[in-house]
Structure formats: structure tokens, C-alpha cells
Amino acid sequence: MSKPCCSPARGGIAAPAPEIAKGAPPDLGWCDIPGGTALIGTDHPGLPADEEGPLRRKRLKPFAMMAGAVTNAQFSAFVEATGYTTDAERFGWSFVFQHHVHAAAGATQRVVGTEWWHRIDGAQWRRPDGPGGADADPDHPAVHISWTDARAFAAWAGGRLPTEAEWEHAARGGLGDVPFVWGDAAPDDDSFQPCNIWQGRFPDLDTGRDGYIGTAPVRSFAPNGYGLFNMLGNVWEWTSEPARLRSLSKAKRAAHHWPPGAKLLKGGSFLCHRSYCFRYRIAARTGNTPDTGTAHQGFRLVRGL
């Protein structure tokens, strides 16, 4: 069994989200993605238990994808227009990484098995680190966003969450069968930091060699061949699909770390490091419950052309 991903699960059931009417969202920065034969997965999995392989092919129609993840400014416009309340706000708490917990939070509860995560009362998209922390940066990705929240935003914005095939096809940027959006070279702690991940000793020391400790602006680092930013690292991104394991036995599925009813996320986050969570690769995948939002989970949308 692979090590558990750095995403804890809430494990509860959120109240149903209200019906959201289509609105007039701000410019979401769409990039056209050509159709054709999409590559999904890999024949060289880094974490075989996550079912990253085998490499598969699927025909896709052209579509558009947001150049970056949904920002706090964009999510704020949605909330202002609709009065939407996120799952984290309804529950009254969310998960914050240990180095970002403010002293004002007081005594906290750690997550068993991934003790670097703390349950923080009041943590939500407006105040990602919880009480005492800084306000959300308008240009950074909206976090503490559940799958339910992301779908509500999509209904208002006239888009939808991508499938895994769409996400991987877009992330490859026309390069084909490569592990990373820029090609074959793996990031390291010293000389090559093409994305926002962890450098140092996880979970104790992040040197911030890539320029960031925590999230980065959604349009930081170089875009891929289709003009998409931060498809790897920064924040995990929700997809439309269940987090399924197709070929494992029932016993292996039960031993796997994804919770029942989980939805699929792609791309890794600023907390990924090869020593623990080598999931900042195109084929990498994880899952979380649809009511869970954490400090390193966001989303971007697609739409038809």
C-alpha cells in the first residue's frame, strides 16, 4: 500500500448545496484545448497502488479550460452574487497545515496518521489559515473548497469540472507521454523548481526554494504548451469523477487510503515532495470526500467549444 496522501478527509456529509442559477462571472481566462487522442495514465507508474497505469487512449472533442485555478477574487464574485456558503463554513472548521496554524487558533486537534494537519475552527476560503491568519490573497487559488462547492461555482460560471482524461490531455500541453507538464526532468530541492512543491525535509522544513511556502498566484511559473499555469503543484484540483480503483481486489481496495465515496483530484500541491507524496506528476491521482476542503485543494473549470 502506498503512503497516505497529504489530504485528510472530513468524513461527514455536508448539507445539500442550494440550487445555483447561471450568473455573469468575471473573465475566467479560457484557453482552447485541441481535441484528438488523449493519453491517460502511464506505463511507468510512480505509485502503482494509485492505479496510475497502464497508459490508455481516449478520443476527446475540443474544449476550453481555465488558464489557472479559480482565484479568491473569482470565488468572491461568486459568493457576492449568490450568497453561497461553503462546506467549510457550514461545518465551522477545516484542515490547515501545521506550519500555517496561527497562535490565535489556540489548542488544536491533529489528524491521526497525518499529524501535520490540524482541524482549525473558522478556517475557510476567506481566511485560509484560520483565525489570526491573513486574508485570502485575491490572485491565489481559492482553497478549503469542497467538490460540492466547486460544482456550485461551475453552475454559476457556465462551466464544469474536467474529467480525468480532459485534465491529463490539457496538462500534457501537446507533449505526449511525459511525466511532467514541461517534459521529463524531475524537480529537485536545489537547481530545478518549475512548479510550487515542497523543497527540504517533509513535513518539518520547507526551504521555499521555488519562491513560495504555501500557495502561489495562479499564474506563477511558466505555462504549458496550451497556456495553462500550475497544472502540477500549488493546489490539488477536483475533477468530475469518482476516485475509483478498477483492478484491485476488494481486500486491496479496502486497504487503500481513499475514503468511500471519494472524488478524484489531480496535480499535486505545494505540500508534495518525492520523499513522501510523489504525486506532482500528470498521471498521479488521489481522492477525497466531496464535503472536504483543505488548505491545498482548489479547482479549475472546463467548458465545451
Side-chain angles (χ1 to χ4, degrees):
M1 185 176 75
S2 65
K3 294 178 181 178
C5 187
C6 52
S7 295
R10 189 184 299 278
I13 300 176
E19 292 293 326
I20 301 294
K22 185 174 179 179
D27 179 20
L28 298 182
W30 299 99
C31 295
D32 290 350
I33 311 299
T37 301
L39 301 180
I40 315 159
T42 178
D43 285 333
H44 307 284
L47 294 167
D50 289 352
E51 283 204 348
E52 297 172 358
L55 184 69
R56 308 177 305 283
R57 290 169 172 80
K58 182 176 182 178
R59 294 288 298 178
L60 293 179
K61 294 180 180 180
F63 60 96
M65 176 177 266
M66 291 177 62
V70 171
T71 66
N72 287 303
Q74 292 164 339
F75 199 80
S76 179
F78 160 63
V79 171
E80 183 176 348
T82 64
Y84 184 80
T85 301
T86 63
D87 280 341
E89 293 170 279
R90 286 196 286 264
F91 279 104
W93 62 272
S94 193
F95 296 107
V96 176
F97 185 70
Q98 61 184 7
H99 296 340
H100 302 156
V101 176
H102 195 276
T108 63
Q109 180 181 349
R110 293 174 181 260
V111 176
V112 176
T114 53
E115 283 77 13
W116 46 86
W117 284 108
H118 294 239
R119 169 183 162 155
I120 301 297
D121 291 344
Q124 42 119 324
W125 71 272
R126 294 182 182 88
R127 193 64 63 86
D129 297 339
D135 291 340
D137 189 305
D139 297 325
H140 283 230
V143 294
H144 298 292
I145 302 299
S146 71
W147 186 80
T148 303
D149 301 332
R151 292 182 72 232
F153 180 96
W156 174 74
R160 58 180 174 80
L161 294 175
T163 65
E164 184 172 24
E166 288 172 332
W167 192 96
E168 288 203 20
H169 180 60
R172 295 177 192 279
L175 293 183
D177 184 14
V178 293
F180 306 105
V181 299
W182 51 85
D184 294 315
D188 59 41
D189 287 358
D190 303 311
S191 60
F192 185 50
Q193 291 91 40
C195 62
N196 180 23
I197 56 174
W198 187 282
Q199 292 91 46
R201 186 180 65 253
F202 184 84
D204 302 313
L205 174 66
D206 183 2
T207 66
R209 192 70 180 265
D210 57 26
Y212 301 97
I213 296 177
T215 60
V218 300
R219 295 202 178 205
S220 51
F221 300 93
N224 77 351
Y226 293 152
L228 307 174
F229 293 84
N230 286 315
M231 291 295 282
L232 298 181
N234 212 24
V235 293
W236 282 102
E237 298 183 3
W238 289 108
T239 73
S240 62
E241 299 185 24
R244 289 196 181 104
L245 296 171
R246 297 173 300 278
S247 61
L248 295 181
S249 68
K250 288 184 179 180
K252 288 184 177 179
R253 282 199 296 269
H256 200 272
H257 53 80
W258 295 344
K263 302 298 183 180
L264 188 70
L265 297 108
K266 299 287 288 185
S269 82
F270 66 87
L271 293 177
C272 285
H273 189 263
R274 186 158 190 161
S275 66
Y276 184 82
C277 182
F278 186 35
R279 292 184 173 92
Y280 45 95
R281 294 170 292 107
I282 294 171
R285 52 212 307 267
T286 194
N288 211 335
T289 57
D291 61 350
T292 297
T294 69
H296 72 336
Q297 284 178 200
F299 69 107
R300 76 179 78 202
L301 303 182
V302 296
R303 68 180 184 187
L305 289 177

